[in-house]
């Protein structure tokens, strides 16, 4: 029997995103010439059509890695993926080779990928090759580890009563989807909404019981931290506390910027983080209800401060300018991807070899990516302006054969 989900069940299906900040990358020292690369072992090409039907075999001439003028910069991000992938049989040979090599130059990097990988063009479900490329970043907020007069807005840890059910264990056709809720008596019911969490009803014993891990000074900054999925808090002594995505309450994200535009409160070009903060400063009485109109809520965990970047969905640190978030239903989460798009609000080309190391609730579709710009305000300005058309080519090892694992 096929499952027919009720309306509240559909609301509970997860659609959340996570991110983390990268530290500045050191300038690599000159590297001695690398010996010619041996050809990879002969093996059947992967058959992504079995699992990823929107990936179409392509030629290297159509990809043209040479359009990335700093191709070797992708190597650090690739090796971070390989730290996990080297344990998988289809990736073991290529990742073992990569991790044993000295840092390559652009020419050697191109030769490596062209010898060891087969490109596949990502397409939409209707077969078209163009899609939407947006940006995200790791923000910096003012805050404290304890509640103070200035730091009054809590960052909550994942609550003890939040239940996540992997539906694929019962219904294989729902692979990749999770049900989030809580127990009420003997029934699983939808989890608390943002409004339930931030504006609990007085006298109601059945209400959210949160565990704050830190406190932020600005509610809008905290709201956008949840959208980005990770960030850093600047504490009163000047030190930083790094936080990352822990879980989500199961509701889909609703854009408050779009809502303000629809209400006539802001023009489309004003619906940025700063525009929303300015609106909130002028309408402090209306701000709580505006924020609560987005039912989605993200819970956090503290991360080690010495990480080189925020952790993505793959569990490895992201690299500014070389990591993207994708829809794992269409793009293998671990794969290198050649991205061809344009700079934010510009027609200037942006061609990059990047790594699919993250995912997000708003990232849906066969040609859809969120480009990770890095840490801080400059990265935030670029991310906030990025809404470009683009194309994507997924690179899969020639040693990977058969049905691709999800």
């Amino acid at each position: 029997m096929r499952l027919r989900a009720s309306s509240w069940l559909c609301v509970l299906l997860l659609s959340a995103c996570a991110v983390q900040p990268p530290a500045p990358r050191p300038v690599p020292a000159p590297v001695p010439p690398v010996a010619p690369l041996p050809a990879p072992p002969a093996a059947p090409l992967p058959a992504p059509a079995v699992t990823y039907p929107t990936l179409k075999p392509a030629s290297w001439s159509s990809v043209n890695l040479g359009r990335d003028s700093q191709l070797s910069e992708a190597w650090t991000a690739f090796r971070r993926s390989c730290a996990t992938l080297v344990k998988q049989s289809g990736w073991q040979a290529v990742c073992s080779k990569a991790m044993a090599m000295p840092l390559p130059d652009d020419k050697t990097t191109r030769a490596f990928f062209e010898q060891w990988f087969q490109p596949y063009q990502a397409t939409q479900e209707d077969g078209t090759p163009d899609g939407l490329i947006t940006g995200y970043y790791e923000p910096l907020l003012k805050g404290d580890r304890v509640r103070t007069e200035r730091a009054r807005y809590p960052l909550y840890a994942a609550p003890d009563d939040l239940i996540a059910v992997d539906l694929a264990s019962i219904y294989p056709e729902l692979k990749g989807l999770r049900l989030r809720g809580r127990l009420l008596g003997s029934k699983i019911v939808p989890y608390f909404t943002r409004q339930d969490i931030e504006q609990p009803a007085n006298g109601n014993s059945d209400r959210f019981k949160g565990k704050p891990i830190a406190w932020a000074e600005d509610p809008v900054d905290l709201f956008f931290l949840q959208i980005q999925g990770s960030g850093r808090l600047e504490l009163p002594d000047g030190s930083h506390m790094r936080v990352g995505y822990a879980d989500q309450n199961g509701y889909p994200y609703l854009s408050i910027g779009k809502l303000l535009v629809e209400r006539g409160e802001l023009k489309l070009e004003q619906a940025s983080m700063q525009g929303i903060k300015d609106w909130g400063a002028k309408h402090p009485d209306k701000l709580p209800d505006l924020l609560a109109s987005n039912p989605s809520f993200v819970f956090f965990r503290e991360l080690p401060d010495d990480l080189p970047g925020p952790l993505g969905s793959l569990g490895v640190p992201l690299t500014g300018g070389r990591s993207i978030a994708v829809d794992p239903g269409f793009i293998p989460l671990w794969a290198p991807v050649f991205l061809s798009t344009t700079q934010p609000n510009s027609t200037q080309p942006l061609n990059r070899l990047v790594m699919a190391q993250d995912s997000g609730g708003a990232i849906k579709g066969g040609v859809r990516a969120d480009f990770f710009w890095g840490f801080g305000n400059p990265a935030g300005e670029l991310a906030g302006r990025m809404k470009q058309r683009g194309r994507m080519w997924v690179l899969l090892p020639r040693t990977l054969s058969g049905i691709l694992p999800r």
Side-chain angles (χ1 to χ4, degrees):
M1 178 186 298
R2 297 178 65 84
L3 175 67
R4 300 187 65 180
S6 65
S7 58
W8 73 264
L9 175 73
C10 294
V11 170
L12 284 173
L13 293 178
L14 170 65
S15 60
C17 160
V19 263
Q20 228 67 13
R25 289 164 292 173
V27 177
V31 178
V34 179
L37 296 169
L45 291 181
V50 177
T51 308
Y52 298 96
T54 56
L55 297 185
K56 312 298 182 184
S59 65
W60 276 113
S61 60
S62 66
V63 179
N64 189 6
L65 288 177
R67 289 183 289 166
D68 185 343
S69 60
Q70 297 175 309
L71 189 63
S72 62
E73 287 187 355
W75 197 255
T76 297
F78 174 56
R79 285 181 53 131
R80 287 177 181 172
S81 288
C82 273
T84 295
L85 295 175
V86 72
K87 303 171 187 176
Q88 298 187 18
S89 58
W91 290 81
Q92 190 171 29
V94 63
C95 281
S96 295
K97 178 66 180 177
M99 296 181 78
M101 288 173 57
L103 183 67
D105 58 17
D106 290 347
K107 182 178 180 179
T108 306
T109 301
R110 179 173 181 175
F112 179 89
F113 280 98
E114 290 183 351
Q115 289 182 21
W116 285 84
F117 286 82
Q118 166 68 27
Y120 295 85
Q121 181 157 21
T123 65
Q124 305 286 19
E125 290 183 278
D126 63 3
T128 56
D130 295 309
L132 176 64
I133 313 299
T134 53
Y136 69 118
Y137 75 113
E138 182 187 23
L140 177 65
L141 292 72
K142 298 281 189 178
D144 206 331
R145 290 183 177 274
V146 297
R147 178 168 181 162
T148 66
E149 185 177 348
R150 291 178 62 87
R152 299 181 288 118
Y153 304 97
L155 284 73
Y156 288 116
D160 296 333
D161 60 347
L162 178 63
I163 297 173
V165 180
D166 185 355
L167 297 176
S169 62
I170 306 173
Y171 303 99
E173 65 268 30
L174 297 180
K175 189 171 185 177
L177 296 178
R178 283 188 174 186
L179 174 72
R180 277 169 167 73
R182 61 190 178 95
L183 279 177
L184 188 60
S186 60
K187 296 181 178 180
I188 297 180
V189 299
Y191 202 73
F192 297 106
T193 66
R194 175 181 293 275
Q195 186 168 22
D196 295 331
I197 293 171
E198 295 184 339
Q199 304 173 24
N202 292 330
N204 184 356
S205 60
D206 179 32
R207 60 181 182 177
F208 176 73
K209 299 174 179 64
K211 300 181 296 183
I213 63 169
W215 303 78
E217 294 185 4
D218 188 281
V220 179
D221 284 343
L222 177 55
F223 182 91
F224 278 93
L225 173 65
Q226 293 196 13
I227 295 174
Q228 302 304 318
S230 64
R232 304 181 201 180
L233 267 71
E234 183 176 314
L235 306 177
D237 64 359
S239 64
H240 286 183
M241 174 185 179
R242 172 169 275 161
V243 296
Y245 173 90
D247 216 324
Q248 191 254 9
N249 66 343
Y251 290 86
Y253 169 75
L254 185 148
S255 170
I256 60 172
K258 182 179 179 181
L259 193 60
L260 288 174
V261 172
E262 291 173 348
R263 292 175 179 176
E265 300 271 6
L266 290 179
K267 296 179 180 179
L268 183 60
E269 62 271 19
Q270 297 174 317
S272 62
M273 180 174 67
Q274 190 56 51
I276 294 171
K277 289 186 70 170
D278 293 342
W279 181 91
K282 296 174 183 176
H283 306 89
D285 54 325
K286 296 181 179 180
L287 183 60
D289 286 340
L290 173 69
L291 299 181
S293 64
N294 170 32
S296 175
F297 194 92
V298 170
F299 304 104
F300 293 97
R301 59 184 173 129
E302 183 172 2
L303 297 174
D305 193 48
D306 59 353
L307 284 174
L311 297 180
S313 299
L314 190 59
V316 299
L318 304 180
T319 303
R322 293 292 171 175
S323 298
I324 58 172
V326 297
D327 183 345
F330 294 91
I331 305 292
L333 188 56
W334 50 82
V337 175
F338 190 77
L339 177 66
S340 180
T341 184
T342 52
Q343 295 282 349
N345 268 358
S346 169
T347 58
Q348 181 181 350
L350 175 63
N351 297 305
R352 296 277 179 90
L353 179 61
V354 294
M355 304 298 143
Q357 296 171 325
D358 207 358
S359 59
I363 313 303
K364 299 296 181 184
V367 190
R368 179 72 175 93
D370 215 12
F371 185 90
F372 181 62
W373 282 99
F375 168 70
N377 291 334
E381 291 175 6
L382 290 167
R385 297 199 309 266
M386 191 170 196
K387 193 173 183 181
Q388 319 297 119
R389 304 303 296 174
R391 296 186 177 188
M392 301 162 61
W393 287 265
V394 178
L395 312 185
L396 298 175
R398 297 180 186 273
T399 51
L400 186 65
S401 61
I403 298 176
L404 296 178
R406 286 267 186 175

